[in-house]
Amino acid sequence: MGAPGASVTSGAGGDLGGEGCRCGKCGHGARAAHRKAVAAFVALREEYAAGRGIPAGLTRSAGAARQWISDELTLSARTLTEHAAATRTTWLDSVHRGTLRALWGAVAALLLGQALTAVGDGWTAHRTATLTAAVALALGGTVTAWRHRGHGGVLAPLTGEDQRLSTSRTVAAGWFGVAVFAMLTAVAGNVLPGGAPHPSEADAALAGRAALSPPMLLVLLTVCGTAVAARAVVAARVRAGRLQKPAAERPRAVDLFADDAGRADLAATQYLLVNAAVAALALTVVIGPPGLVPPSAGWVTAALVVVSAAGYLAAKCDEGGRPVILSVVRAREPGDLPAPIRPGDDIEIRGTGFVPPGARTPDLLARIVVRIGAVHVPVPLVPGPGGFTNPADATLTVPVPADIEPGPTEIRVITASGAESAGWVAEVGE
């Protein structure tokens, strides 16, 4: 795992020349400004990490220089966040248009596939029904995308409160689309006027009823219940401080099968793949000829989805954790004599969960606070090669305020997500 803050370098490459597009209708200008802001922040961080650019008057005090560097980096990180927000707005608008093109592209692909397969068999009522259902479903998706056009179009209902794509919502929405498509196919197969008598004219109604069989209805109930239960579990754990969910800059496709830090999540991956495979099988029942999939496969696939959903929910109930302080020691510089903690000294807080997954950007690192007694002390940003050496997930280094009274003093860590650790009592000497 890279050093905290290393993720800010993403997108810094490429041509930074020019001012980008100024038409005001696309995101080229916002993306170019964001790339320049990223490059400026990385250059500033690396310069401070190398010990350059620090005012001469601060070089005699390591604590003052560190605090000055931290303040400068925090201000630069705020500018970076403002550019990222502008980029997110234009990105969501482009996603809204892109999803509409993909939606109608799928309808066109279905039309092409039906036309190619009808060359030798002839056009049937089944093909007409499936195309009618696809067009109706695409129209519904278009209305949804227009309604949420400022929030990513059809991605808006799939995005959680933390601005990440939700695996459970995406799976439930996918199955809802399969069920509606099957139902519309069955309806169209019953109401569309038929031609010459042909056994395949009843295929649409038969396929729709097969896709909406009891096993598939069990699958639909399972995935919808899983989406509701997963949201309730996450919300309850966040409120209880047992799960940290800092907001992401924007939803990404990797959110569907990865955790908040972008690492592969086995529970989410298996849940997504199992449901994708079973949904593809259900679509084959609707679109393909009758008898292509044996009826006995229904209950087997439904049981597979139920087991997969149980594993996904179990992982949701166990993920994450609150920050925990394991020890507090005096930060000793080389050459210092052993001594108790005194006001003005640096202390090193050792533990776990100080930097939750997804909170390694500079603006979120700058929000970590240590409460020492009644004083809230921001954790200074200490730059290092390629990232930051402080704060880290397992250690925090902060100065003890000068106005702390000697004696037992309670110390708590408040992370960027707002979660607060249990108190740790340290003895502060005179």
Side-chain angles (χ1 to χ4, degrees), residues 21-29 90 93:
C21 179
R22 297 183 180 181
C23 66
K25 298 180 181 179
C26 64
H28 297 164
T90 58
D93 183 62

Side-chain angles (χ1 to χ4, degrees), residues 37 39 68 105 147 155 160 188 216 262 267 348 417:
W68 183 85
R147 174 65 178 81
L155 291 187
M216 291 301 101
E348 183 178 284
S417 65

Side-chain angles (χ1 to χ4, degrees), residues 131-162:
L131 284 176
T132 303
V135 170
L137 193 61
L139 287 174
T142 301
V143 173
T144 302
W146 182 86
R147 174 65 178 81
H148 300 284
R149 58 191 180 279
H151 302 280
V154 294
L155 291 187
L158 312 181
T159 304
E161 288 75 8
D162 59 351

Side-chain angles (χ1 to χ4, degrees), residues 237 241-244 318-324 352-353 356-357 415 417 419:
R237 288 174 61 81
R242 301 184 62 84
L243 177 63
Q244 303 186 61
D318 190 54
E319 70 175 345
R322 66 189 310 164
V324 177
T352 183
T415 69
S417 65

